[in-house]
Amino acid sequence: MTAAATSPKSADQLRVAIIVPAYEEERAVGDVVRLITENLANATPIVINDGSRDRTADVARAAGARVATLPFNSGIGAAVQTGFQIAHDEGFDVAVQVDGDGQHPPAEVRKLLQAMVDTGANYVIGSRFLDDNDYRASFARRGGIRIFSRLVSGLIRQRVTDTTSGLRAADRHTIALFAEHYPHDYPEVEAIVLVRRAGLAIQEVPVQMQERQAGRSSITPLRSAYYMIKVGLAVLIQFMGRKPRRREVS
Amino acid sequence: MTRLALIGLCAAVIVVVGVLTMIRTRRLQERHALIWLIGAIVLGTLAASEALLGWIADLLTIRYPPSALFLIVVAFLGVALIDCVITISRLTDRNRTLAQRLAIVEERVAQIEAREAEGRTTESRAEGTT
């Protein structure tokens, strides 16, 4: 069962929420917000400040974003989900998730929106590994990425090349699902399986990503082993567990 | 009365009195205390009644009855621990949901306040010109 496309609107007519989770990103978040407002006229940047102790919230607000601040650091999953809850409450057509560290050029967001309109997919993932790309990752990282790609592709019976991409677009159905259910610790891989389990359609599109402007990746070599085991286990449990119930969206 | 019975009974009485005191001083909710009270009563009963403990040990093919008592206490602790972990998971979940609701409501309040402040300045400006 696949929910129908959002509507036959064109990409420019959609009301788009851009969810920017940010934890201590005062150096990068301002530019991220400005790039969004300059390049995407129909988008509302919503920064979810995940209990930062620095000036992330002030910088984001000054740059013109709406800022929701979690009272304490709650993790990327909880932060992103807060964005989906706002998008759900306020009836946005699409919610796009963009990293707060400047890795995702807003121009690429338009590709996601266009793909959503064209294919009618409920969840569009920006992939660094489709077609030509100049994204370079370390050997170990590529290995890990490939393992998850195989695992997820096999489980959901659809090829997904970039399961850890943080650049995604969700339509109303997926927003409603995520407002209620969203994985916690390392949500990217799990979220894909969750969406498919809910009977929604997934589409990947090739995008270009930049090196992060500031801040560090949350995935250090030390945490990689934990990451692999935790996410692998979570994906399998997700797949075996109860199907998520999803409220119908008018 | 054997020494084992004495020790078992003492332990049971200490747990019961301790738990009741914590309930009275509101450091422990009745709901979570129940499992400990039941555990203490079972421990006390088994320690005091050699016949009952012997019968259970026989049933479990344990030759030395006090070992059966240890096994039961360990099993009880396992159950109590799982109860604890389940409670922590539920609280973590609710805590996160509350944090999210708070963030959303605060942002909404800030928007409303900003809009009101804007309305007030345009009002006062209009008054100033007339």
Side-chain angles (χ1 to χ4, degrees), chain A residues 2-246:
Chain A
T2 298
T6 305
S7 63
K9 285 179 188 173
S10 85
D12 293 330
Q13 289 172 305
L14 296 168
R15 268 188 77 217
V16 181
I18 309 280
I19 301 170
V20 186
Y23 174 62
E24 313 209 327
E25 296 279 7
E26 63 181 3
R27 282 188 294 160
V29 78
D31 286 338
V32 172
V33 170
R34 266 186 294 276
L35 277 171
I36 291 166
T37 39
E38 281 164 16
N39 291 288
L40 300 157
N42 52 334
T44 307
I46 303 172
V47 171
I48 311 298
N49 170 28
D50 191 6
S52 308
R53 286 157 300 177
D54 65 1
R55 298 184 55 249
T56 297
D58 296 338
V59 171
R61 209 173 283 120
R66 288 173 55 181
V67 179
T69 295
L70 289 160
F72 42 81
N73 187 260
S74 309
I76 179 80
V80 170
Q81 187 181 35
T82 306
F84 284 116
Q85 286 167 345
I86 292 173
H88 183 58
D89 288 350
E90 302 183 10
F92 278 93
D93 295 318
V94 182
V96 179
Q97 187 187 325
V98 167
D99 281 355
D101 58 13
Q103 276 193 101
H104 305 144
E108 303 301 297
V109 171
R110 208 174 281 133
K111 288 188 196 165
L112 264 60
L113 297 175
Q114 197 55 52
M116 185 169 269
V117 171
D118 292 345
T119 64
N122 304 103
Y123 195 43
V124 178
I125 302 167
S127 169
R128 294 161 287 185
F129 308 120
L130 278 175
D131 296 355
D132 58 319
N133 70 89
D134 47 18
Y135 184 85
R136 290 282 166 267
S138 70
F139 178 76
R141 192 143 186 201
R142 267 182 184 266
I145 286 166
R146 195 166 305 147
I147 289 172
F148 280 126
S149 171
R150 292 257 169 82
L151 177 66
V152 170
S153 300
L155 283 175
I156 71 169
R157 297 180 187 288
Q158 178 183 344
R159 185 162 168 261
V160 181
T161 58
D162 194 356
T163 55
T164 55
S165 163
L167 180 61
R168 290 130 185 256
D171 77 343
R172 284 169 170 277
H173 298 279
T174 308
I175 290 171
L177 172 71
F178 283 167
E180 201 139 342
H181 309 277
Y182 199 72
H184 307 152
D185 280 346
Y186 298 107
E188 295 84 9
V189 183
E190 250 180 282
I192 298 172
V193 179
L194 178 69
V195 167
R196 196 70 202 94
R197 290 279 288 168
L200 297 165
I202 297 167
Q203 179 71 41
E204 260 193 324
V205 291
V207 293
Q208 304 286 330
M209 288 188 197
Q210 292 169 347
E211 296 298 314
R212 54 183 61 248
Q213 292 182 350
R216 284 170 298 128
S217 168
S218 59
I219 303 163
T220 62
L222 207 71
R223 291 190 197 152
S224 292
Y226 169 74
Y227 176 90
M228 297 290 290
I229 294 167
K230 193 265 160 192
V231 174
L233 203 65
V235 166
L236 288 174
I237 289 170
Q238 177 71 256
F239 192 73
M240 290 184 300
R242 265 183 303 180
K243 283 196 178 182
R245 271 184 306 164
R246 148 173 92 73

Side-chain angles (χ1 to χ4, degrees), chain B residues 1-18:
Chain B
M1 191 179 266
T2 64
R3 195 170 291 175
L4 177 76
L6 206 64
I7 294 169
L9 272 177
C10 281
V13 168
I14 289 170
V15 171
V16 169
V17 171

Side-chain angles (χ1 to χ4, degrees), chain B residues 35-89:
Chain B
I35 192 167
W36 289 96
L37 289 177
I38 291 170
I41 289 163
V42 169
L43 168 71
T45 312
L46 288 180
S49 161
E50 221 170 307
L52 187 60
L53 187 61
W55 180 74
I56 289 173
D58 244 18
L59 214 64
L60 299 168
T61 63
I62 293 169
R63 289 219 197 111
Y64 181 56
S67 288
L69 191 59
F70 285 131
L71 183 70
I72 290 165
V73 169
V74 168
F76 159 76
L77 287 177
V79 172
L81 201 59
I82 287 171
D83 176 63
C84 210
V85 175
I86 289 173
T87 307
I88 290 172
S89 294

